[in-house]
Amino acid sequence: MEEADAVETIQREMTSFARRARASAGRLHPELSLVSYTLLGHLEESGGCRATDLAEHYALDKSTVSRQVGALERADLIERRQVPEDHRVQVLQLTDAGRRILAQVTESRRTAFRERLARWPQADLERFAEYLVRYNEWHGPASGSDRLPGAAP
C-alpha cells in the first residue's frame, strides 16, 4: 500500500471510529453523550478544573463548553466550587452521582472494547495501543487541523 493510500485509509477508519463512538455513547448511558463522558473523565483525572481549562484542553469554543457544563450541572453530575485562595475562581468537580455514572459508563465501555478485541493476539493489542498513544501524543498546529470534523473532544 502506498503512503497516500495508507493515509486515506487511516483517515476513513478514524472517521468511522469517531462516528461509532458517538453513536454507542447513547446506548451505554442515555443521559450521557460522548462529549459529556469525555468532560467527566477529564474532571476526574484532573481532580477538577475551570471551564476555561476544559475549553483550552479540548480546543473547543467557550460557549460550547459552557452549554455542556450547564447540562452536566443540571443533571447533578458536576458542581462548581470556589477556590479558597481566590473566591473569583470556580472549579468544576464531579458530584457523587457524577462519579457513579462515570464509573458505570467506563465499565460498559471497557466491556465493549474487550469484546471487540477479544480475538486479537496480544502482540497486535500491544502494537495497536502503542500506535494510538503515539498518534494522540502529537501536538501539531494549534488550529486543530488534526481533529476530525465534528469530532468530540
Side-chain angles (χ1 to χ4, degrees), residues 8-151:
E8 181 62 28
T9 298
I10 291 167
Q11 182 275 325
R12 183 181 63 246
E13 294 303 317
M14 294 290 284
T15 300
S16 176
F17 175 84
R19 285 186 185 132
R20 251 191 339 272
R22 281 193 304 273
S24 69
R27 290 190 303 271
L28 295 175
H29 195 285
E31 300 164 26
L32 200 60
S33 71
L34 181 60
V35 172
S36 296
Y37 172 77
T38 303
L39 296 179
L40 289 177
H42 184 81
L43 290 174
E44 181 181 56
E45 287 174 18
S46 67
C49 67
R50 300 174 303 159
T52 54
D53 297 330
L54 288 172
E56 183 179 315
H57 180 78
Y58 291 110
L60 293 171
D61 186 78
K62 290 178 186 176
S63 65
T64 301
V65 170
S66 180
R67 282 191 302 277
Q68 292 292 326
V69 164
L72 291 171
E73 283 181 304
R74 286 189 297 280
D76 194 34
L77 301 179
I78 64 171
E79 62 188 0
R80 295 176 191 263
R81 293 188 186 159
Q82 287 184 331
V83 174
E85 303 83 45
D86 187 347
H87 293 286
R88 296 171 296 171
V89 177
Q90 292 185 334
V91 174
L92 303 171
Q93 295 193 327
L94 294 176
T95 62
D96 289 340
R99 279 186 201 75
R100 279 193 305 277
I101 287 179
L102 180 62
Q104 290 169 359
V105 174
T106 297
E107 187 53 38
S108 295
R109 291 176 63 84
R110 282 185 185 132
T111 298
F113 273 104
R114 282 187 197 110
E115 289 172 1
R116 188 171 194 105
L117 300 170
R119 296 181 185 206
W120 285 37
Q122 183 65 28
D124 287 355
L125 289 171
E126 291 173 9
R127 195 170 20 258
F128 186 50
E130 289 170 11
Y131 290 157
L132 286 172
V133 168
R134 188 167 73 187
Y135 179 82
N136 287 318
E137 283 178 341
W138 186 70
H139 298 289
S143 67
S145 61
D146 63 320
R147 291 193 23 194
L148 300 175

